[in-house]
Amino acid sequence: MPVVILKDGSVKEYPQPVTPLKVAEDISPRLAKEVLVARVNGALWDINRELPEQAELELLTFDDPEARDVYRHSSAHLMAQAVKEMFPDAKLAIGPAIEDGFYYDFDLKQPLTPADLERIEQRMQELAREDIQIERMVLSREDALRFFRELGEEYKVELIRELPAEAEISLYKQGNFVDLCAGPHVGSTGRIRAFKLTSVAGAYWRGDENNAMLQRVYGTSFVKQSQLQEYLHLLEEAKKRDHRKLGRELDLFSISEEAPGMPFYHPKGVIIWNELIKLWREEHARAGYMEIRTPQILNKRLWQRSGHWDNYAENMYLTEVDDTPFVLKPMNCPGAMLWYLTAHRSYRDLPLRIAELGLVHRHERSGTLHGLMRVRAFTQDDAHIFMLPSQIEEEVGGVIELVDRIYRVFGLEYRVELSTRPEKSIGTQEQWDEAIAALIRVLENRGMEYKVNPGDGAFYGPKIDFHVLDSLKRSWQCATIQLDFQLPQRFELTYTGEDGEKHQPVTVHRVIYGAVDRFLGILIEHFAGAFPVWLAPVQVKILPIADRHHEYSRNLAARLEEAGIRVEADLRNEKIGYKIRQAQAEKVPYMLIVGDKEVQQGTASLRTRREGDVGPVGIAEFEARVLEEIRTRQNN
């Protein structure tokens, strides 16, 4: 007799085998309609799969992140079923859920077009209306291999061969469509209600350019049409805000085929860059940091000593100097360790907060490069804090305050994750446990909510990651705080303690922006290119109506420039309407329009990017207003 223990502790007994869906029906019709997947004795479970004799049961809906992933994974299967019906020669690769959606990779001779995606989507809708049961089957390895060989599904055969010997091999069947899959799924196609196929792109099998090029079809799905429409609206808004598009239109940066993944910053982009660095330097000086610079290339043996060569070599650029191998630095840490070794340190010297704006190079696959968001050359706003073990919590807390202070300037919200030991790592478990416990204490003593991200720490230590939410509520991982007992040991860093003996310091590695380049890309999209006045490359544009107003405009521009305002005067022989539209397209915060009346009265007519025409303004009053916005870095 099955015994079911619900999340609230209540117990249900059944005289015959029962499924999670049946339990949901007994609780309420609404829950039965909304439940997508179950958690049974801690494991995810199909809602139409019989429960074990003793089951702790939790019923999950779309509100649960794990249920959303299952829903979108089932959506990928629904798409694959439609594709196989319409293109029988298509071979199936993989089709996972991803953030906000799903994809499926197909080996298909015919290139898929937008019209094809519409037809596939239409067939998916028909299959969903048919409400086909999704059934789980378990086969032996031999039977599974035979089954997919007979279907000609060579990618599935390869995946089965690589499964561990003890792995249970499950297949999922919906109608005539069968796929290799660990599951679980949503029970029937009718539960997949609102979806959209968004794009198709090329993708190498298993991300390896030596393998076959597949066609990857992306989509998204929700349980309500209103949720889907809201998401598609955000997608359209994101396209308008694409930093690559705005980077071209606003003349901020470019990427050349001669240097893939290595941005060229144009004069206006450099202005924003310099403002970000100015803020960074001010805040770091205030927080007691000293700044250093270390070489671009360092002997390979240094990277072997640090552990980077064993854990990161595939991302490093190697060169040779005087027949000796050198590495173009992918991070700044070893250089900071060498700096520490240039003098004898006492416990009285610690903590030492050492910052570096270091240009680093990392080899990223060409298919992963993406504007400023994924590059091969970038500047890290790095810092290393060398400290006594007793200073860990205070110093990590100080970094959190610094992150919060800088992010508030941009109006950025964030969430926090704690990442623990990865499989590929160095150091003892005891050291890792001590480091993780210290970070947890800092977060909990500050009352900060955080999510644990198992196995995603740096190879030398656990870390706290800050995920920034932009104006579209998209998440970007930026700041990180990494606690490290390993590199001080490997580089034999010491300080003289109160007892006169040598001791090993602890190191914190941390960034605030992360990569300055990537942070700039995030800000372009966050502000949609309409930067607050202090960041705007051109803060004021003076627009004379006719040639006779040019001299006044030039003098006004000189005055504002002398006061410290970035200003341009548009003296072209164009109509004023055209000049206004151009300034608006360039997202200039303030426009001063000058005509006969303004020249006579020594004023200007103010137009703002947000409000449009404001009316006459005195020059001294306007100058004071702009300077105050710049001084206080108003986020307007």
Side-chain angles (χ1 to χ4, degrees), residues 494-515:
T494 62
Y495 65 89
T496 303
E498 287 186 79
D499 57 3
E501 299 297 319
K502 296 291 186 184
H503 300 273
Q504 182 183 298
V506 179
T507 299
V508 159
H509 309 246
R510 45 109 299 196
V511 290
I512 308 294
Y513 294 145

Side-chain angles (χ1 to χ4, degrees), residues 106-108 155 201-205 208-215:
F106 302 99
D107 191 340
L108 186 59
Y155 298 104
Y204 290 110
W205 170 236
D208 186 340
E209 54 261 41
N210 297 313
N211 290 337
M213 172 65 82
L214 308 177
Q215 293 187 68

